[in-house]
Amino acid sequence: MGIMFLGLYNHKIDNKNRVLLPAEYIDKLSKKIFITKNDGFLILRTEEDFNDYVSHLTDLSTNDSEMKLILKGVYINSFAINIDASKRILLPKEYKNYITSENNILFVGNGKNIEIWDYFKFKTLNEKINIAFQKHSETEKINGNFKNN
């Protein structure tokens, strides 16, 4: 499956809009990563994952005007950022303000990518996640007792 980002890490943005990356992610990232605005949060992708994502969207947009708009949105709302020698990234002010007016953020591992959330916005999402887990906790699949067909 390749690189896998897991876990939840609370960090603070400094007064220059820099934030230290979680130590657990550093070895999995190259110096250049891509940041994209999403629905109230930011997504960090490795260069390889970003290229794969854009390639996939390009394939889907060949004959689909809505997918072309989505691809354009990704291009408009993404750019490359570098990890500095202190293992920090600089969040552009617009991107920092997009997710939070505070300085407390959460890095959320989401498999192939990393999400950056406002601490309080994520609490709301986490409540929904917990409800979904409770609702499905008795099923065989969610407990890892699944069978391949």
Side-chain angles (χ1 to χ4, degrees):
M1 176 163 200
I3 295 174
M4 186 86 118
F5 296 101
L6 304 171
L8 183 70
Y9 304 93
N10 189 6
H11 283 252
K12 287 193 181 283
I13 301 171
D14 71 14
N15 60 357
K16 294 181 180 178
N17 288 343
R18 297 173 303 192
V19 63
L20 182 66
L21 289 166
E24 292 78 1
Y25 296 162
I26 293 295
D27 292 338
K28 298 175 183 177
L29 296 169
S30 60
K31 184 174 168 69
K32 180 176 162 185
I33 56 178
F34 287 79
I35 188 167
T36 306
K37 282 194 230 178
N38 205 319
D39 189 21
F41 61 96
L42 303 174
I43 297 179
L44 293 179
R45 288 185 166 92
T46 64
E47 187 171 9
E48 179 182 2
D49 185 46
F50 184 78
N51 290 334
D52 289 347
Y53 179 61
V54 168
S55 178
H56 175 69
L57 291 178
T58 301
D59 290 345
L60 292 176
S61 69
T62 303
N63 296 312
D64 187 331
S65 60
E66 284 187 348
M67 289 306 299
K68 286 179 184 175
L69 289 173
I70 291 169
L71 180 59
K72 183 177 285 294
V74 169
Y75 285 133
I76 290 168
N77 291 298
S78 300
F79 65 91
I81 57 176
N82 291 313
I83 300 172
D84 71 16
S86 298
K87 309 300 184 202
R88 298 173 302 195
I89 56 172
L90 174 65
L91 292 177
K93 187 175 182 178
E94 175 189 343
Y95 280 54
K96 186 259 185 193
N97 292 340
Y98 177 74
I99 57 168
T100 185
S101 61
E102 303 293 324
N103 290 330
N104 291 324
I105 61 166
L106 290 172
F107 285 94
V108 180
N110 192 28
K112 289 179 73 172
N113 57 59
I114 302 163
E115 297 175 350
I116 302 176
W117 283 82
D118 170 82
Y119 179 83
F120 296 103
K121 287 180 189 172
F122 187 79
K123 280 181 70 174
T124 302
L125 175 63
N126 202 37
E127 289 170 7
K128 292 178 183 177
I129 291 169
N130 288 334
I131 290 169
F133 264 101
Q134 288 173 0
K135 180 179 177 183
H136 297 283
S137 67
E138 298 302 316
T139 68
E140 291 288 316
K141 288 186 178 183
I142 197 132
N143 288 321
N145 299 324
F146 51 88
K147 296 178 185 174
N148 293 330
N149 293 332

